[in-house]
Amino acid sequence: MKKIIAGVLGIAAVLSLASCGKKSGSASASEDGIVTLKGIIDLVPHQEIIDYAATALLKEGIKVVTLQDASDNLGNEKTANGEADFNYFQHKPYLDSVNTQNGWDLVSVGAIHVEPISLYSDKYKSLSEVPDNAVIALPDDGTNEYRGLKLLNDQGFIKLSEHSLSALDANVGDVEKYLKPVKLVEINAFQIIPTRADYDLFVNNTNKILESGIKTNILAQESPDSPYGNIIVTKASRANDPAIQKLVKVLLSDDVQNWIKQKYNGAVIPVK
């Protein structure tokens, strides 16, 4: 009986030591030393960028497994609760807002690319062709509506209030003056492309244009120094995880950044 008890205690001790050797929430490593990172990654261009970087990541001992895209809006929640090691679909201002709303402790460990908000038209090829009383569709979600209005402000269509410009937050009610006679229509960003025939111009993120596969004209675009770079996000406790750091290092390498520039020809802009 004593031998049996001793054996059980010995097994328990081994299991306890094994448990202590593995940090909670850390990425898993296989027998060949490859560390697997589970990510929630948008399809375009995020997944395409990750796919291109896969060979370089393997050389660094990293394999990325995509759990899903971010279409169900649970990407941050699943990263916060440890289901995902990281996510890649959003910009810092959006992350800051959801952290505040939900009490999450998520951090950016690096911006990889910018998806500039752009002003598009199927009917006109340049701003000089846009007639008076043109109807312009804008995404109605907070950050993107501000970005769209800021773009129209910068292109001389409207004048936004100083408060909205400094607060990085605006809706149509913050337009102080219409410098050109236009009509602004606020609409869900996902409905803009299917209904674009109803508008003379429309504002949207370039990733939505890329995903839809439509051909349209870019009349104006955010500058490359936009603060809305798409970021790798993880829990604060994982920010210095070597595997996460290697992921960011590869995505910011000259090879991957140059590939982004060549692949998307300005529709997606590398941060370097």
Side-chain angles (χ1 to χ4, degrees):
M1 181 61 118
K2 289 181 179 178
K3 291 182 179 180
I4 295 174
I5 291 173
V8 171
L9 290 175
I11 293 170
V14 170
L15 292 175
S16 176
L17 288 170
S19 176
C20 291
K22 182 178 180 182
K23 295 180 180 179
S24 177
S26 62
S28 58
S30 62
E31 290 183 1
D32 58 4
I34 300 296
V35 175
T36 297
L37 289 176
K38 296 176 290 183
I40 295 177
I41 306 166
D42 251 357
L43 297 175
V44 180
H46 311 72
Q47 186 66 58
E48 294 175 346
I49 295 169
I50 293 289
D51 288 346
Y52 174 78
T55 300
L57 284 167
L58 274 177
K59 290 180 180 178
E60 293 286 343
I62 306 298
K63 178 182 179 181
V64 172
V65 173
T66 302
L67 297 181
Q68 62 185 74
D69 64 30
S71 59
D72 65 358
N73 294 320
L74 296 177
N76 282 318
E77 180 178 337
K78 291 178 178 179
T79 305
N81 68 24
E83 290 182 57
D85 296 306
F86 75 96
N87 67 57
Y88 180 29
F89 65 84
Q90 64 195 311
H91 50 62
K92 183 79 164 45
Y94 178 77
L95 175 65
D96 290 343
S97 69
V98 297
N99 267 337
T100 299
Q101 291 168 9
N102 298 281
W104 291 326
D105 191 17
L106 298 173
V107 296
S108 166
V109 287
I112 308 303
H113 73 273
V114 176
E115 296 169 16
I117 281 278
S118 300
L119 180 64
Y120 299 94
S121 179
D122 290 348
K123 301 176 182 179
Y124 308 106
K125 294 183 178 180
S126 69
L127 291 174
S128 62
E129 296 178 10
V130 178
D132 289 351
N133 302 311
V135 180
I136 305 176
L138 288 161
D140 64 2
D141 53 292
T143 300
N144 286 325
E145 183 165 9
Y146 164 76
R147 294 170 71 188
L149 288 168
K150 175 68 163 54
L151 180 61
L152 294 177
N153 179 88
D154 293 348
Q155 296 301 321
F157 283 92
I158 60 174
K159 183 179 186 304
L160 283 173
S161 69
E162 288 300 321
H163 169 74
S164 65
L165 288 171
S166 61
L168 306 182
D169 183 30
N171 56 44
V172 171
D174 292 299
V175 177
E176 285 190 344
K177 184 177 181 180
Y178 286 83
L179 303 177
K180 294 181 180 179
V182 294
K183 180 181 179 182
L184 304 181
V185 178
E186 299 163 296
I187 182 174
N188 183 286
F190 291 96
Q191 295 303 314
I192 290 177
I193 292 174
T195 62
R196 68 188 188 281
D198 297 337
Y199 312 108
D200 296 295
L201 301 92
F202 56 97
V203 173
N204 219 329
N205 300 84
T206 54
N207 67 312
K208 291 184 174 60
I209 304 297
L210 292 170
E211 288 174 7
S212 70
I214 67 169
K215 300 295 183 183
T216 188
N217 304 310
I218 300 176
L219 275 59
Q221 192 173 67
E222 266 179 339
S223 68
D225 62 356
S226 165
Y228 300 101
N230 276 228
I231 53 181
I232 300 295
V233 172
T234 190
K235 296 168 67 172
S237 61
R238 301 285 306 280
N240 294 316
D241 185 312
I244 298 288
Q245 289 294 316
K246 287 179 180 179
L247 170 65
V248 174
K249 173 188 170 184
V250 169
L251 295 180
L252 288 177
S253 66
D254 290 344
D255 177 53
V256 174
Q257 293 285 294
N258 287 335
W259 181 84
I260 293 171
K261 183 178 180 180
Q262 294 168 9
K263 168 73 174 177
Y264 300 106
N265 194 29
V268 176
I269 304 171
V271 297
K272 289 174 61 180

